[in-house]
Each structure stands twice: as structure tokens, then as C-alpha cells.
Amino acid sequence: MLNSAIPERLQALPWRMLLTLLALGGFGLAVLYSAAGGHVRPWAFNQGIRFTLFFVMALAMSQVPLSWWLRAAYPGYGIVLVMLLGVEILGKVGGGSQRWLDLGIIRLQPSELMKIAIVLALARFFHYLPRVETQRWGSLVAPAVLIGLPVGLVMLQPDLGTALSIAFGGVVIVFLAGARMSLFVGGGAALVAAIPIAVSLLHDYQRRRVLIFLDPDADPLGAGYHITQSKIAIGSGGLSGKGFLSGTQSHLQYLPELHTDFIFATMAEEWGLFGMLFVLACYAIILGWGFSVALRARNQFARLTAAGLTCTLFFYVFVNLAMVMGFAPVVGIPLPLMSYGGSAMMTAMILIGILLSIDRQREETMIGEGPSAF
């Protein structure tokens, strides 16, 4: 009786993953509530509204035909690229960086949207490119340009973490499309050789972050303050944490960016190892579902898009957790679905919505193999 009252389109949704998503988002709101000293404002209330709206948006996006995403891939990339150019001309400055466009009702960070746009654009490019052509170096000029333009613009903001995320998503697509392994070996060697040049091009604060990562105790009250306080917060949580609303590092304002980049440390102090395992389990379920969508996809565009978006989400999670635990330099990457912020939340939910759309295609008339089906 209950099943008959629920529309078939809703029944077909992957509710195990969606319930996990809701649990993770709800847990994030509880952490933000605690980080604000037991007040819903300014963080938990605003984040709750965003999460609800964007979750509904993701469900609506699940009904969008896959062919629409393919047609929108290049125009979407172009629009976001223009927005990145707009940031350089009209962008708002915050935290010493120029990353946002003030649209009145929302301050939008276009670089976040580029993480999705680059995946869609490259997936479309390789969908129409014959497999044998991916083995030729000349065919990779266009992907290199597609990746290089936004990465260069984001580096100008400056935002090293987001630039790396965009580059990672693009390189993953090139790799999965079947490019020669020698390309990646040669590219890796070139990157290693270019490290001295890259370091010289970094801003002073970025260079200090790298040096502090190599020697965390060199400046514990200066450049190393963030990571030092983060590790203290995580370590002091122990097995079961200090208890909800009882974190000292966060409530006494020792932990910087406790509601954004370092929200995992805020959570770990109060919830301990059990809380950390819960968060990791939630991400494992969501990522596992994303990779399963890629494996079950029946055409090149769907496979590359699903795999690229899932790897992008993995990069978000991995780098943020490595950063707060001292295993990576501080690069300013938020923890998806938990960190406070509208642009990051919107990006994560758009990513989920596209994956839901790809997953739904299995249940309906499938797009045929090859470009001609589009």
C-alpha cells in the first residue's frame, strides 16, 4: 500500500545513499550549531536552509535527461570561464583573495562550479573522439587548453587548492579516456623538474604553508598555528570525544576556521574517534555509490562524467582530511556537505544531482552507445 502511494520515479532513487547524505548533512549542522556556542545563528540556520534547498534541487536534477547534460557541457564550461574572468575584473575580496562574484542574493565562487564544468566538457570531448585518437599526442592539445585556462585564472585569485582540484578532475578524465601512460609518466617527471620554478611562483603565504608542512614545529604560533591547533583538537577528542557543546579548542577560539576548512577538527574534538568513523563511513557509502554509477553506465559520456565527478568529490574529502590531520599543506579546500559555505554546498549537490541523473538512465530508455545516439 505504501509503495503504491509513492511515485515510481521516487521509488527508483538510491535512498540508501540519499539517507546517508541526509545523515551527513544533519550531523554537519549539529557541528556548526556547537561551533557557534549552541546558537543556530549565524552558521547552522543558514546552512540548514541551503542544504534543504540544494537537496531538493539535486532530486529535481535527477529527472534531467543525460542528453541534456551532454548538450550543456560546452556552453556551461564557457559560462563559468567567463565568470572566472569576471572575478578578475569585478570580484569581491575576502580573506586576502579575490574569488567571489556578488550577485546580490548570493556571493558565488565560480571556481567551485568549474570543478563540475571541466568534467562535463572533457567527458563530452572524449565521447565524440574515437578511442584510437586518444593515443595520439595531438588530440590532447584541446583538453590541455580546457584544463589550463581555468587553472591559470584560479591561480591568479589566488586559490591553489581549487586550482589543484580542477586540474585533478581534468586529468582523471584524460586518464580514464585512455590516453597513453607515457603521457602521465612524462607529465609527472616534468612536474617534478618544475618544482623549483613552481615554488618561486607561489605567494609568500603559500610558500610558508608548504614549509610548515615539511616542518610543522618551525612556527607553531605563526604559519603553523592552524595545523597545530587542528591536531590538538583531533587528538584531545580521544575515543568518544569531549561531548556535544563541550569542545574547548573551538569554544575558546583556539581553532581557526572552525566552521569551514577545519570543521572536521571541530567535530573530532567533541565526538572523538566514533564521530570520525561515522563521517568516513558516510563518505565511503556516497563515493562507493558514485563509482558504482560509473561502472554501470552504458555510454562513454556517462561513464566519464560519473567517474570524474566521483573522483572530484573524493579529492575534496581526501585533501581536506589530510590537511586538518597534518598530512598535507593547508590549501583551503572545504569538507563537502559539512563545511559552512553556499558555493561549496551548491557544487556538491549539483555533483550529486548529475550522478542521480546518470543513475536514473539505467531504469529508462538508455542512450545508445556512441555519439550518433545524441
Side-chain angles (χ1 to χ4, degrees), residues 8-9 12-14 59-71 289 292-294 296-303 305-306 352-369 373-374:
E8 291 186 7
R9 287 180 179 271
L13 291 173
L59 294 182
M61 290 173 64
S62 70
Q63 306 305 307
V64 176
L66 185 58
S67 57
W68 189 91
W69 296 115
L70 181 129
R71 288 194 295 269
W289 167 77
S292 70
V293 170
R296 295 193 303 265
R298 299 189 184 180
N299 64 77
Q300 179 79 328
F301 177 74
R303 282 191 293 271
T305 299
I352 295 293
I354 296 175
L355 287 174
L356 287 170
S357 175
I358 295 173
D359 189 45
R360 187 180 67 87
Q361 297 296 322
R362 299 183 301 105
E363 308 297 333
E364 301 183 0
T365 303
M366 296 298 301
I367 298 174
E369 297 287 348
F374 291 94

Side-chain angles (χ1 to χ4, degrees), residues 314-329:
F314 169 79
F315 186 85
Y316 259 98
V317 176
F318 176 79
V319 173
N320 180 272
L321 297 186
M323 178 184 73
V324 301
M325 289 186 284
F327 296 119

